[in-house]
Amino acid sequence: MPSKATRFVHGRIVRNTGHGIFYRMEVSIPDRIEFVPGQFAMVSGWPGNDPLLPRPLAIFRAGGTRSRATVEFVYKVVGRGTALLSGLHDGDPLSITLPLGNGFDLGAPDRTWWLAGGGVGFSTVFPAGVALSQGKAEFEMFLGSRTRDQLPPREWIPGGDLPGRVHLCTDDGTAGFFGTVTDAIRERLAALSPPGRARVSILSCGPREMLSGIAAAAAAHGVPTQVSLENHMACGFGVCWGCVAAVRDGDRTAYRRVCREGPVFDAGEIVW
Amino acid sequence: MSASGTFGYGLEFSPFYDISRLGAVVVKGLSLLPTAGNAPQRIVETPAGMLNAIGLQNIGVERFVADVAPRLADAGAVFVANIYGRTIEEYEGVARRLSELPALAAIELNASCPNVKEGGIAFGSTSEGLSGLTRRVRSATKKPLWVKLSPNVTDVGKMARVAEESGADAVTLINTLVGLAVDHRTRRPKLSNVTGGLSGPAIKPVALRMVWEACKAVRIPVVGIGGIQSAEDALEFLLVGAAAVQVGTANFRNPNACVEIIEGIREFFAREKIARLDDYRGGILLRG
């Protein structure tokens, strides 16, 4: 079941602005929330019944004071729901259930964390970068997109306000590494010495092909990897059983809810 | 009350409100053994609705009895178990096991799930199948027995009557309507099961009509389900004769939907000075 801290709230948009292919939306909510990086919210804010279901959005930041709390989301328009969200203005009301799901496990000490974000998957790994930075942990971030224009704005990228190293990757080579995040990670892992590899842990969110590629490369070198999955969701808090992913259960395949047992899974569990 | 399959095992809603406030929590369909369900993709959004093909993934009756039922009782919830089997014997076995639970308020027979090849709709789509199943489960339990009917039949009033004559204490309807979603680019069905069950506000007019027909056909209580999102929707079902309503897909959109609907009905009755439900129920005014 959702944690005791999970709640359904009515909020209001403070700002909702486009930055290239991304939108960043700040929402005022009744009370300050605590969240684990990788957790998400179910958000709806359009009139009528079409589309019917709220949309899952990763929690990008949360802050404010007890009396003036805010939560932020970074999203990309991928369908009608997110298109409608992108058309909302300051002061418009939203309904939000949050925080939901299990986030990244940042508990292992003395690791070198590699944070891999493909496309809007950036918004899911970004809070992990913030948390690792606050804990003075060592991390590097790999951010990928098709072209330079589709990368997150520079000012959002840790390295500006966070002390981690950032590797930009573009499919067409217009910025940073010429290739995908998966290619970059595969190359870096191969180049590291065995003791260096033994310290690496990977956190990742992005297209399924990216996650399965990273999982395979990491498994080949015995590098622990957490993947944040996406799926069609109806409820977001574990009651509809619509969002399941296939996982290994001994020698069988079982189905686990992305919204409840996930969205973060050990990459080795997933049946890709 | 909540509709089965849209409310998990009930405890998932405890962070949002006290589940003892509901008339009843109708839990997710239970089979004798744990069931894995269908492969993803399991849900598709449609205009004002959704298709699902979960395939009755559930924890099985033993784990429900051991782990969930005591917690529902501790939470003060009135709870009803929806049950499902691949064979009549499996239905009977689940009903017998659940009958050992003193706190269980009723058993709801799922004779209408469209997403499994065996059981479910296979029993609920013919008079003979429904009658045989209802009679056998009726003999297996002393608990109040509700039969959840399918809308995927020609005459739902007739099926309600069959359930009544076979020993049902109430009928609940409607379950989901069979639908199909196709991706025009990939040319493939969107659901791995190909077809799924349509729910949400898109089905409300169909549900309302079928509940009305069932209410005219039987003397036992009719529980209305289908696209109820607001107190106004629920009141419409009461107006055509439903004794109670279940709320399903609306819980996905708004976890507080059930309690908001209860409060809305209460406020409407207070505003309209309606003292008792029976003063309003079945009061649809028809021309002529």
Side-chain angles (χ1 to χ4, degrees):
Chain A
M1 86 184 68
S3 79
K4 286 198 171 67
T6 303
R7 67 202 84 167
F8 176 70
V9 299
H10 298 289
R12 285 202 180 271
I13 293 176
V14 176
R15 66 190 169 106
N16 185 27
T17 47
H19 305 268
I21 65 165
F22 298 108
Y23 284 81
R24 186 165 179 172
M25 182 166 67
E26 185 179 0
V27 186
S28 67
I29 53 175
D31 293 304
R32 190 182 160 89
I33 62 150
E34 303 293 330
F35 76 104
V36 176
Q39 285 190 300
F40 68 100
M42 295 297 283
V43 180
S44 63
W46 47 86
N49 293 323
D50 189 17
L52 183 66
L53 302 169
R55 294 300 189 257
L57 300 180
I59 300 173
F60 190 66
R61 279 183 194 268
T65 60
R66 189 171 174 79
S67 59
R68 190 180 149 74
T70 57
V71 59
E72 277 183 68
F73 306 102
V74 167
Y75 62 97
K76 193 174 90 170
V77 172
V78 292
R80 294 190 55 232
T82 42
L84 287 167
L85 279 180
S86 73
L88 298 178
H89 300 102
D90 298 1
D92 283 345
L94 287 180
S95 299
I96 310 175
T97 307
L98 81 174
L100 295 166
N102 291 315
F104 293 111
D105 179 359
L106 305 177
D110 301 329
R111 310 298 299 173
T112 298
W113 297 91
W114 289 4
L115 278 48
V120 76
F122 157 79
S123 65
T124 300
V125 296
F126 170 85
V130 174
L132 291 167
S133 169
Q134 287 165 351
K136 311 283 187 225
E138 192 181 329
F139 74 93
E140 300 179 31
M141 191 168 265
F142 298 76
L143 300 177
S145 68
R146 291 202 177 90
T147 74
R148 168 194 284 271
D149 297 344
Q150 297 181 4
L151 285 166
R154 181 71 214 180
E155 63 270 24
W156 295 0
I157 299 173
D161 61 340
L162 295 173
R165 285 184 60 192
V166 179
H167 309 282
L168 302 179
C169 309
T170 49
D171 294 359
D172 64 358
T174 47
F177 177 82
F178 191 160
T180 65
V181 167
T182 313
D183 296 334
I185 283 183
R186 199 181 285 126
E187 285 189 16
R188 282 291 306 281
L189 282 175
L192 274 181
S193 65
R197 277 200 294 267
R199 295 189 63 230
V200 172
S201 280
I202 299 174
L203 310 177
S204 54
C205 184
R208 193 171 174 90
E209 305 73 44
M210 168 189 147
L211 300 182
S212 64
I214 290 173
H221 295 292
V223 171
T225 299
Q226 298 172 50
V227 292
S228 176
L229 301 184
E230 291 182 339
N231 206 340
H232 297 275
M233 285 181 189
C235 68
F237 52 92
V239 297
C240 76
W241 293 75
C243 65
V244 296
V247 300
R248 288 175 223 290
D249 182 15
D251 54 359
R252 296 182 310 129
T253 295
Y255 298 118
R256 300 266 187 275
R257 294 165 293 187
V258 170
C259 74
R260 182 66 196 99
E261 285 82 37
V264 176
F265 292 88
D266 185 301
E269 275 186 276
I270 305 297
V271 178
W272 298 104
Chain B
M1 58 185 96
S2 66
S4 177
T6 63
F7 213 70
Y9 297 105
L11 298 158
E12 294 91 333
F13 283 78
S14 294
F16 303 112
Y17 57 84
D18 177 357
I19 57 173
S20 72
R21 293 174 66 188
L22 302 184
V25 168
V26 184
V27 301
K28 187 165 172 50
L30 293 163
S31 51
L32 205 52
L33 298 174
T35 301
N38 293 327
Q41 182 175 343
R42 290 180 169 185
I43 55 171
V44 176
E45 201 169 21
T46 61
M50 60 175 278
L51 284 169
N52 90 79
I54 308 300
L56 290 167
Q57 179 165 1
N58 77 95
I59 59 175
V61 70
E62 289 305 331
R63 211 175 122 202
F64 176 79
V65 169
D67 297 346
V68 180
R71 290 159 65 203
L72 283 169
D74 286 349
V78 174
F79 61 99
V80 172
N82 181 286
I83 69 166
Y84 153 72
R86 279 166 289 272
T87 62
I88 289 183
E89 289 72 25
E90 186 179 352
Y91 274 102
E92 288 178 305
V94 180
R96 278 201 196 93
R97 186 73 180 95
L98 288 168
S99 299
E100 296 167 20
L101 289 174
L104 186 78
I107 289 173
E108 183 180 74
L109 198 57
N110 182 351
S112 45
C113 179
N115 294 325
V116 290
K117 290 189 179 66
E118 302 155 305
I121 193 72
F123 294 111
S125 58
T126 65
S127 301
E128 298 73 24
L130 185 66
S131 174
L133 177 66
T134 306
R135 285 178 197 282
R136 291 273 295 272
V137 178
R138 171 74 288 166
S139 319
T141 180
K142 290 192 165 51
K143 292 284 183 186
L145 182 65
W146 304 354
V147 177
K148 187 166 181 177
L149 299 175
S150 170
N152 304 302
V153 294
T154 310
D155 185 347
V156 80
K158 179 180 160 193
M159 298 302 274
R161 210 156 42 239
V162 166
E164 180 181 41
E165 288 164 359
S166 305
D169 297 298
V171 285
T172 62
L173 67 154
I174 58 175
N175 205 324
T176 53
L177 288 147
V178 180
L180 171 67
V182 185
D183 187 319
H184 72 279
R185 288 161 302 186
T186 64
R187 306 183 184 196
R188 293 180 185 281
K190 291 183 177 176
L191 295 169
S192 72
N193 196 52
V194 184
T195 59
L198 181 65
S199 66
I203 73 167
K204 197 186 85 176
V206 177
L208 206 53
R209 185 265 297 177
M210 289 194 161
V211 168
W212 178 56
E213 289 178 353
C215 289
K216 289 191 293 180
V218 297
R219 301 170 69 91
I220 55 176
V222 173
V223 180
I225 324 167
I228 297 173
Q229 293 200 106
S230 64
E232 289 76 13
D233 293 334
L235 287 162
E236 291 169 18
F237 278 80
L238 299 175
L239 209 49
V240 301
V245 297
Q246 293 183 0
V247 175
T249 300
N251 292 303
F252 300 157
R253 191 183 191 191
N254 172 3
N256 290 335
C258 283
V259 286
E260 288 179 7
I261 288 168
I262 291 169
E263 285 307 312
I265 293 171
R266 192 170 281 139
E267 283 167 20
F268 175 79
F269 280 10
R271 202 165 52 241
E272 299 289 320
K273 299 189 171 34
I274 298 166
R276 300 177 318 134
L277 174 62
D278 281 347
D279 296 339
Y280 182 80
R281 189 169 73 83
I284 182 173
L285 299 173
L286 299 171
R287 287 199 188 90

